[in-house]
Amino acid sequence: MSDRDFDRAAHRRTDQPWLENALRADGARVAVIWRSKALVSGEGVAPRAVLIPAAEIGPGIGAETVFLGCPNENAIFAVDASALEPDDAQARFAAYGAFEDLRAVGMLLPGPEAALLGYAKGMLYWHERHRFCGVCGHPTRAKDGGHRRLCVNAACGTEHFPRSDPAVIMLIEYEDKCLLARGARFPGNFISVLAGFVEPGESLEDTVAREAFEECGVRVTDIAYASSQPWPFPSSLMVGFRARALDPTLTLDPTEILEAGWYTRDFIRALNDDSPRRIGPKFSISRRLIDDWVEEG
Ligand SMILES: [Zn+2]
């Protein structure tokens, strides 16, 4: 869920006259987020991100408008419609589509569209949770096209910036098998690679080693970066790693991990909708780590 080709036009964020003109321009488009759901068209099978003309936003929403970028001559903004009651929200935008959970439709959307909606959702989630200054408790105001919030208390003046919470996710190998586990919060029979949040004072590699040991009792070596993925549920950056276990003995933390085991490539290749185990959807980094490993052997 990222799109390197999308021009965020960060240099425009501090140009207030430009932003106001861009929002009023005929070609201005808006991604609408309602209570963390994104407006998409095409029920079920082939959803598409909906960007509506900015002029059609209507009253009662748009107090927080975030400048997302300018991929061509027209700017794209994100607007939070969460103030609308469910029936209102649905009725107001019924001509365009419906509000859907990105976790569900993300894998069906074209990649750049999933990335754009994830970006919009992540920004508005941050605004919603930073309306007050964490230092002095006064309200904050959005600045820089919505990419900064400033405490209104002149004596404080703390600036607040959107954050991503770093988390590691790692495929651990031992000989020709990889470690997959069923987390306590996973739905049904879903198994995945291990993951965990980075703690203050840790490097990413430290977190990989700590989580592997805490969750499954495994000591790892050869920790190497693989790839990363923004994960706006709600505001993570998943950083993917590979590592090798020194010993395959597993000692599970039962509060986090319900079961774990070493799986072969053939087992994973044979998985299908009727299998007693399932792995994550194609667009997830967990799946990419698993698929890349399977393809190596
Ligand atoms: Zn303050």
Side-chain angles (χ1 to χ4, degrees), residues 133 135-138 151 153 156-158:
C133 177
V135 178
C136 75
H138 279 73
C151 176
N153 174 11
C156 174
T158 300

Side-chain angles (χ1 to χ4, degrees), residues 1 31-50 86 89-90 93-94 96-109 113-114 117-118 120-121 232-233:
M1 291 181 97
V32 186
I33 304 291
W34 178 78
R35 302 186 188 180
S36 283
K37 293 182 173 183
L39 188 61
V40 300
S41 67
E43 285 174 27
V45 257
R48 298 296 303 269
V50 175
Q90 214 172 341
F93 299 102
Y96 296 103
F99 290 100
E100 302 285 354
D101 187 342
L102 269 185
R103 265 189 223 250
V105 297
M107 74 184 102
L108 303 172
L109 287 166
E113 297 182 14
L117 295 184
K121 174 185 179 293
F233 308 108

Side-chain angles (χ1 to χ4, degrees), residues 110-126:
E113 297 182 14
L116 182 67
L117 295 184
Y119 174 27
K121 174 185 179 293
M123 289 299 295
L124 293 173
Y125 176 88
W126 173 74

